[in-house]
């Protein structure tokens, strides 16, 4: 017997996306977003939802481009800071000491110190309510050599991403390996 | 200096959503989906993307409703199984021994044994490419009493959800607490 806790935005895990954009003066900006995820395999797309009030919203509308940088747990403080202040008032790269790098394929910057980066071109914009959802086509994924495994792909155990728990507002590390997908269910 | 690894659907963490629907004969079905996430705070909404070829796609189009059940790590095998076979051919509840419960507010079943459940009504349908994205308004969240914390909300450490790592196709546990959001970044 389950207990009703109301209409709330609670799922686990939610990601910690650092959304990178340029403003109209060319200043690089980043903000933290937890409302998003992969939304299509072909073309490869990722969705991220933002409030219109954010500085990033206007930047994406102007450039039709953004990046998503995935922070490692070593940069949890910086990732949290990016969600605390507006890029309209502060230069978050300068304040955090992190480095903006211009993407190769889209007009948006990513965070050099974060191990995994997606360069995205806006494919759809969906007005939902308080949040606007941007569907970005993933033009390229870039990773630090140090987090790439023997198969040439990122290794989550080396990336050391973390997740966000809504409502309790906690960040949690990725834990231990539980099993292989498309495999462990064969013996049910 | 980052290395390009191509246009791939890689972000961390991605969720393990168990999407519950009824078919036209009223048979409850579930499937596993990793492409999704919260997409709006008000109204509270969650997005999940499915291929048209899935049995669940037709069920959602017919009922305009679905649930998302979040499995605990104790049910990783069952959650994986739900993604291995089609509900058109198999009764996945019967085969797994798990229990379908009709939602209170929408015409869709959830998995009784999974600790956290969202009841959703379809608000938007977005054709992206191989995947169709369903934006569901979260009408209610239900949780087992055993996973509700002192504040009346679900406690991620009791829910014990797990995440999916694309490309490597591994399931990973949620790890230890890393820090408080909207807080640890104040000292950057």
């Amino acid at each position: 017997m389950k207990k009703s806790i109301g209409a709330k935005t609670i799922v686990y895990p939610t990601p910690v996306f650092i959304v990178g954009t340029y403003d109209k003066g060319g200043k690089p900006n980043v903000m933290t977003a937890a409302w998003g995820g992969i939304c299509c395999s072909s073309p490869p797309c990722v969705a991220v939802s933002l409030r219109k009030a954010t500085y990033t919203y206007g930047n994406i509308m102007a450039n039709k481009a953004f990046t998503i940088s995935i922070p490692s747990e070593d940069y949890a403080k910086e990732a949290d800071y990016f969600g605390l202040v507006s890029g309209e008032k502060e230069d978050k790269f300068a304040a955090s000491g992190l480095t903006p790098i211009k993407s190769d394929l889209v007009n948006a910057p990513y965070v050099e110190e974060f191990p995994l980066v997606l360069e995205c071109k806006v494919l759809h914009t969906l007005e939902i309510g308080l949040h606007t959802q941007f569907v970005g086509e993933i033009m390229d994924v870039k990773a630090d050599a140090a987090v790439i495994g023997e198969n040439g792909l990122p290794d989550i155990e080396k990336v050391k991403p973390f997740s966000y728990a809504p409502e309790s507002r906690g960040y949690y590390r990725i834990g231990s390996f539980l099993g292989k997908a498309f495999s462990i269910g064969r013996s049910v």
Side-chain angles (χ1 to χ4, degrees), chain A:
Chain A
M1 183 67 191
K2 289 188 158 51
K3 193 181 163 191
S4 168
I5 54 177
K8 294 181 187 300
T9 49
I10 307 178
V11 296
Y12 304 126
T14 69
V16 179
F17 287 163
I18 305 303
V19 184
T21 53
Y22 287 117
D23 75 4
K24 56 182 184 289
K27 187 182 81 173
N29 185 44
V30 270
M31 75 165 279
T32 315
W35 293 170
I38 297 291
C39 61
C40 189
S41 294
S42 178
C45 291
V46 64
V48 64
S49 290
L50 306 176
R51 287 175 298 109
K52 282 196 172 66
T54 61
Y55 200 50
T56 298
Y57 173 89
N59 292 351
I60 295 182
M61 291 301 278
N63 292 305
K64 302 295 181 197
F66 62 91
T67 63
I68 291 178
S69 299
I70 304 290
S72 73
E73 58 182 52
D74 298 337
Y75 288 98
K77 279 173 84 162
E78 288 81 357
D80 191 53
Y81 162 72
F82 292 156
L84 285 171
V85 295
S86 172
E88 195 170 1
K89 291 169 192 157
E90 292 193 32
D91 181 334
K92 300 191 216 179
F93 277 103
S96 65
L98 298 185
T99 314
I101 303 284
K102 164 113 176 52
S103 292
D104 290 329
L105 301 176
V106 303
N107 187 31
Y110 61 80
V111 183
E112 170 66 3
E113 289 82 359
F114 291 2
L116 190 73
V117 166
L118 283 68
E119 301 185 7
C120 304
K121 183 180 76 176
V122 173
L123 209 57
H124 296 282
T125 303
L126 182 65
E127 298 294 340
I128 303 177
L130 181 62
H131 286 76
T132 301
Q133 179 188 249
F134 293 104
V135 171
E137 180 175 349
I138 302 166
M139 307 305 290
D140 194 24
V141 178
K142 289 182 166 62
D144 290 339
V147 303
I148 294 177
E150 289 176 11
N151 59 1
L153 294 168
D155 179 341
I156 190 172
E157 298 184 38
K158 292 176 177 171
V159 173
K160 293 185 189 299
F162 54 99
S163 74
Y164 172 65
E167 302 296 323
S168 73
R169 296 186 155 198
Y171 295 124
Y172 285 84
R173 295 179 178 86
I174 296 297
S176 56
F177 179 73
L178 179 59
K180 272 205 85 60
F182 304 99
S183 173
I184 58 172
R186 293 188 197 282
S187 62
V188 162

